[in-house]
């Protein structure tokens, strides 16, 4: 069976794995992210040399930034040297193999429809909650990038229009885990850097009313955002990723909030189907391979 060498580029480390065409990881490892573009190319060539006996037929890459179809990675990230050059062309010239690159959030979404919680579904929205809110849209089983590579950038949605520019208007600003920290820090007069999301949930469980209120507002704004996504895109399923998805009570609280929203809006008839992402640490590698296979299939 033919195999694909997959890379997941991160600001601190690069994960890499040999993956077969069924998505099975044969071997995997990680290494510190090279400090220059030339060092990155040498690193990729070295990994390819080590897998020469394994019938490697192509290279799949999960990358930060906005990845254009031609292989140029726009935007900015913690790996500044990858932005600007045509990475796809350069790596193909160095290795002699076909190369396909996709944004890391998009790779995570593709992994979920291939092998994860949305397996077999065609239209899916993936919302990734962290310091901000990101995500991806799957349309007919493929990534929908949009006209400006901003498809799935849910964090830009304005959910609170009052006092635009005050830092509490967009989906990212009011429904990220960082939004909870901002609310609690403001109420308690604390420095934001002194708080974590985990501490806020722990204090809420101990009866801290400020933390309880901040969490309730976080769930409310997240539920409003998911309701909007449901009516804008009408996916079969919305998946939640990011660290918050590890909380066992997440889906219950979101469904309770969404029931209240739907009940209060006369014209609303759809209840979003929400689940958590199933794949975790290897999702970018698996999704990069699925993206590679989709692109190769289209090229035949």
């Amino acid at each position: 069976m033919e195999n694909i060498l997959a890379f997941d580029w991160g600001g601190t480390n690069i994960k890499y794995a040999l993956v077969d065409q069924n998505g099975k990881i044969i071997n995997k490892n990680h290494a510190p992210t090279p400090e220059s573009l030339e060092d990155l190319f040498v690193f990729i060539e070295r990994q390819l040399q080590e897998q020469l006996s394994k019938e490697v037929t192509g290279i799949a890459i999960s990358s930060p930034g906005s990845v254009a179809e031609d292989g140029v990675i726009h935007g900015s990230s913690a790996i500044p040297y990858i932005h600007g050059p045509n990475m796809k062309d350069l790596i193909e010239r160095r290795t002699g193999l076909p190369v396909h690159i996709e944004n890391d959030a998009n790779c995570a979404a593709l992994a979920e429809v291939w092998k994860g919680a949305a397996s077999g579904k065609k239209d899916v929205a993936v919302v990734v909650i962290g310091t901000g809110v990101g995500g991806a849209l799957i349309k007919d089983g493929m990534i929908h990038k949009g006209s400006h590579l901003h498809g799935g950038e849910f964090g830009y949605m304005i959910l609170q229009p009052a006092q635009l520019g005050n830092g509490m208007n967009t989906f990212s600003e009011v429904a990220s885990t960082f939004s909870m920290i901002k609310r609690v820090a403001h109420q308690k007069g604390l420095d934001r850097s002194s708080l974590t999301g985990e501490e806020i949930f722990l204090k809420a469980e101990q009866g801290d009313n400020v933390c309880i209120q901040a969490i309730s507002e976080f769930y409310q704004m997240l539920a409003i955002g998911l309701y909007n996504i449901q009516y804008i895109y009408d996916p079969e399923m919305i998946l939640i990723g990011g660290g918050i998805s590890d909380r066992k009570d997440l889906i219950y609280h979101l469904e309770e909030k969404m029931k209240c929203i739907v009940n209060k809006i006369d014209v609303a008839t759809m209840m979003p189907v929400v689940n958590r992402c199933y794949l975790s640490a290897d999702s970018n590698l698996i999704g990069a391979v699925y993206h590679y296979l989709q692109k190769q299939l289209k090229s035949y």
Side-chain angles (χ1 to χ4, degrees):
M1 179 179 288
E2 297 177 353
N3 300 308
I4 297 102
L5 184 58
F7 294 91
D8 178 15
W9 292 347
T12 303
N13 289 303
I14 287 183
K15 298 177 186 175
Y16 53 99
L18 190 67
V19 185
D20 72 19
Q21 291 179 318
N22 294 319
K24 179 183 177 182
I25 293 178
I26 299 166
N27 58 56
K28 66 177 180 179
N29 209 331
H30 69 277
T33 303
E35 295 185 355
S36 71
L37 187 58
E38 179 60 25
D39 288 346
L40 176 65
F41 292 151
V42 170
F43 176 80
I44 292 171
E45 289 170 329
R46 188 164 62 243
Q47 301 315 315
L48 187 58
Q49 282 290 327
E50 291 182 3
Q51 304 287 354
L52 269 184
S53 63
K54 305 289 179 55
E55 296 186 62
V56 178
T57 56
I59 295 175
I61 297 170
S62 165
S63 168
S66 300
V67 184
E69 290 292 334
D70 61 3
V72 174
I73 303 171
H74 299 280
S76 60
S77 73
I79 321 175
Y81 56 75
I82 65 173
H83 300 281
N86 189 315
M87 297 298 293
K88 172 180 164 63
D89 281 354
L90 291 173
I91 297 171
E92 284 182 339
R93 288 179 191 173
R94 297 284 291 247
T95 63
L97 292 176
V99 174
H100 293 292
I101 309 172
E102 183 53 276
N103 167 266
D104 44 16
N106 289 347
C107 285
L110 285 170
E112 292 295 334
V113 297
W114 192 28
K115 300 290 179 182
S119 178
K121 299 196 180 304
K122 296 292 186 183
D123 295 327
V124 177
V126 179
V127 180
V128 181
I129 313 293
T131 305
V133 176
L137 283 175
I138 302 292
K139 182 178 181 182
D140 294 329
M142 308 280 285
I143 286 293
H144 176 69
K145 288 177 175 286
S147 299
H148 305 89
L149 304 177
H150 274 53
E153 293 287 358
F154 308 118
Y156 289 82
M157 291 194 302
I158 295 173
L159 297 195
Q160 286 188 341
Q163 296 181 307
L164 279 176
N166 72 351
M168 288 298 278
N169 307 112
T170 67
F171 196 19
S172 274
E173 291 167 342
V174 300
S176 62
T177 49
F178 187 56
S179 71
M180 284 188 297
I181 294 173
K182 287 191 290 186
R183 290 186 177 99
V184 172
H186 177 72
Q187 288 292 320
K188 291 178 175 279
L190 299 173
D191 191 298
R192 295 171 184 174
S193 63
S194 68
L195 293 168
T196 67
E198 290 83 359
E199 289 171 346
I200 291 172
F201 277 103
L202 179 60
K203 289 180 179 177
E205 291 168 3
Q206 295 169 346
D208 186 313
N209 288 327
V210 171
C211 293
I212 292 171
Q213 181 62 28
I215 291 170
S216 177
E217 291 173 0
F218 160 72
Y219 281 135
Q220 177 69 14
M221 299 312 299
L222 182 52
I224 290 173
L226 299 182
Y227 170 91
N228 289 345
I229 291 169
Q230 185 65 50
Y231 273 90
I232 292 167
Y233 184 58
D234 194 15
E236 296 169 87
M237 177 181 286
I238 301 175
L239 292 177
I240 306 295
I244 192 71
S245 65
D246 291 336
R247 292 198 62 82
K248 293 180 180 177
D249 58 354
L250 171 69
I251 303 303
Y252 168 78
H253 288 296
L254 284 177
E255 288 180 344
E256 289 300 302
K257 294 291 188 185
M258 286 188 294
K259 283 178 189 172
C260 291
I261 294 168
V262 171
N263 288 338
K264 289 179 179 176
I265 299 177
D266 291 340
V267 294
T269 56
M270 286 190 296
M271 180 70 182
V273 176
V274 179
N275 204 345
R276 72 186 77 234
C277 288
Y278 173 75
L279 301 166
S280 54
D282 296 330
S283 62
N284 289 4
L285 292 167
I286 294 171
V289 170
Y290 191 43
H291 173 258
Y292 172 92
L293 294 173
Q294 288 180 326
K295 290 295 182 183
Q296 285 298 101
L297 186 63
K298 283 181 70 175
S299 68
Y300 293 145

